[in-house]
Amino acid sequence: MSFIIGIVIAMGCIVGGFASEGGHLSVIWQPMEYIMIAGAAVGTFIVANSLSTIKDTGSAIMEGIMGKSPSQRDYLDVLGVLYSLMRELRGKARNEVESHVDNPDESEIFRSFPNVLKDKELTHFICDYVRLLIVGNARTHEIESLMDEEIETITHDRLKPYYSLTAMSDAMPALGIVAAVLGVIKAMGALNQSPELLGGLIGSALVGTFGGILLSYGFTAPLAQKIKVTREKRLRVYFIVKQTLLAFMNGAMPQIALEHGRKTISSHDRPTIDMVENETISGGPARQAA
C-alpha cells in the first residue's frame, strides 16, 4: 500500500505541477515514446538475466508491492521450531532426533509450525545444521563459518532481482535519450512544415528524455529499493537460526539460546521474552489447537 501511495503522490505532484504552470497534458502524453523506452528496458533486462532470475524478479516485485515481510508470528514460529529441536537434542537419543530432520514433512515438530514448513529453503537450512549438531564432530567456529558462507550465497541469490532492476533503472535515462533522438530525427524530416507542427514534433521528442528519467527514478529505482528492503527482512530468519544454534552448541540452555536468536530481530518486530516463552512452552499454534 505504501508503494502505491508513494507513486500516486509522485505522479500527482509532477503532473499537477506541470498543469498548474499552464502546460498541456496532451503534450506529455506520447504513448509510443514510453513504449519504446519501456520495451527497450525490458528487452535488455531479458538479455542480461537468466530465466530463473526473470521469474524470481516477478515474484520479488509482487513481494515488494505487497510488502510481504516476515511478521512477528513468523519469527515466533521459527523460534518455536528451534526450541523444540533443541529440547529433543538434549533429552532424546540421536536416532529419534534424526527422524525429524531427515523427513521434516512427517515430523510432528515441523508440522506444528506450517509457516516454517512451507518455506522449503529455510526448512532445509535448519535441518542441515541440526544434523551437523547430531553428528557432534564439528567445532562451533567451523559451523559458524559454514553458516556465514551459506547465508552469503542465499543473500546473493535473493537480491539478484534488486541488482537486475537497478541496472535496468540506470539504463533508462540513456534509453530515453535514444527515444528523444529518434523523435528529433522525425522532426528534422518535417522542417518544411508549419511551425505549429514542427513544435509539436520537437515537444514529442523531448518527452523521450522526460520519460526515461521519470521511469528510472520515479518507478524502477524505488521499486528495486523496495525489493531490497523486503528481501533483506525475509533473510533475517536465517540469522535467527544461526545465532540460536551457535549459542546452543556453546552450551546454552534452549531457552537462553532462543534469546540469542530473538535479539537479532529488529526492535519494531521483535517479540517480547514473555511471548517467546509462552510460544515455546505451548509448542506452537498448530499443536495447541490440536
Side-chain angles (χ1 to χ4, degrees):
M1 182 61 70
S2 62
F3 179 83
I4 296 174
I5 292 174
I7 292 296
V8 170
I9 293 173
M11 288 301 300
C13 291
I14 292 171
V15 176
F18 177 74
S20 66
E21 290 182 342
H24 299 286
L25 296 181
S26 59
V27 176
I28 61 174
W29 177 243
Q30 303 293 336
M32 291 310 302
E33 295 285 331
Y34 301 118
I35 289 174
M36 282 192 289
I37 298 167
V42 171
T44 54
F45 173 82
I46 292 173
V47 169
N49 296 282
S50 63
L51 183 59
S52 60
T53 300
I54 295 171
K55 291 180 178 179
D56 190 36
T57 301
S59 301
I61 289 173
M62 293 306 300
E63 290 173 7
I65 293 175
M66 300 299 292
K68 291 185 176 180
S69 302
S71 63
Q72 198 172 80
R73 173 76 265 158
D74 295 321
Y75 292 131
L76 286 169
D77 285 350
V78 173
L79 292 171
V81 168
L82 294 173
Y83 176 79
S84 298
L85 289 172
M86 290 186 295
R87 187 177 58 184
E88 295 283 305
L89 286 168
R90 288 182 65 89
K92 294 189 177 181
R94 178 183 299 181
N95 62 329
E96 295 182 67
V97 183
E98 281 181 335
S99 63
H100 294 293
V101 296
D102 288 340
N103 191 8
D105 291 326
E106 301 299 326
S107 167
E108 275 299 316
I109 291 176
F110 283 97
R111 290 172 65 182
S112 296
F113 301 92
N115 287 338
V116 177
L117 187 58
K118 70 181 180 181
D119 188 340
K120 298 302 180 185
E121 193 168 12
L122 176 62
T123 299
H124 292 154
F125 184 85
I126 295 172
C127 291
D128 288 346
Y129 289 101
V130 171
R131 190 176 290 111
L132 289 177
L133 264 65
I134 293 172
V135 173
N137 293 327
R139 298 176 181 177
T140 304
H141 71 273
E142 294 174 341
I143 296 295
E144 183 176 9
S145 178
L146 184 60
M147 283 183 170
D148 288 337
E149 288 288 339
E150 184 169 0
I151 290 174
E152 183 178 347
T153 300
I154 294 171
T155 301
H156 177 74
D157 290 339
R158 294 286 182 89
L159 293 183
K160 281 182 179 179
Y162 162 72
Y163 296 125
S164 300
L165 286 178
T166 299
M168 187 172 76
S169 173
D170 292 341
M172 276 183 167
L175 295 175
I177 293 173
V178 171
V181 170
L182 291 175
V184 170
I185 292 172
K186 179 181 176 182
M188 291 298 101
L191 287 177
N192 60 339
Q193 302 297 319
S194 65
E196 291 81 5
L197 178 61
L198 187 59
L201 292 174
I202 294 174
S204 173
L206 292 176
V207 168
T209 303
F210 160 77
I213 296 173
L214 178 63
L215 290 174
S216 173
Y217 298 109
F219 290 92
T220 312
L223 179 58
Q225 181 62 27
K226 185 72 172 179
I227 288 172
K228 182 176 185 288
V229 171
T230 302
R231 285 281 169 103
E232 285 179 343
K233 286 183 178 179
R234 294 172 70 89
L235 287 166
R236 179 51 49 189
V237 292
Y238 292 92
F239 292 95
I240 296 173
V241 175
K242 171 191 167 183
Q243 293 303 126
T244 301
L245 292 182
L246 288 177
F248 181 73
M249 286 187 68
N250 284 323
M253 297 288 290
Q255 201 68 39
I256 301 300
L258 286 186
E259 185 63 12
H260 285 253
R262 189 184 74 89
K263 287 297 186 180
T264 66
I265 304 172
S266 170
S267 59
H268 298 288
D269 304 312
R270 184 188 303 154
T272 65
I273 295 177
D274 291 336
M275 292 174 66
V276 174
E277 288 181 351
N278 292 336
E279 182 69 19
T280 54
I281 291 172
S282 66
R287 186 180 298 177
Q288 191 175 30

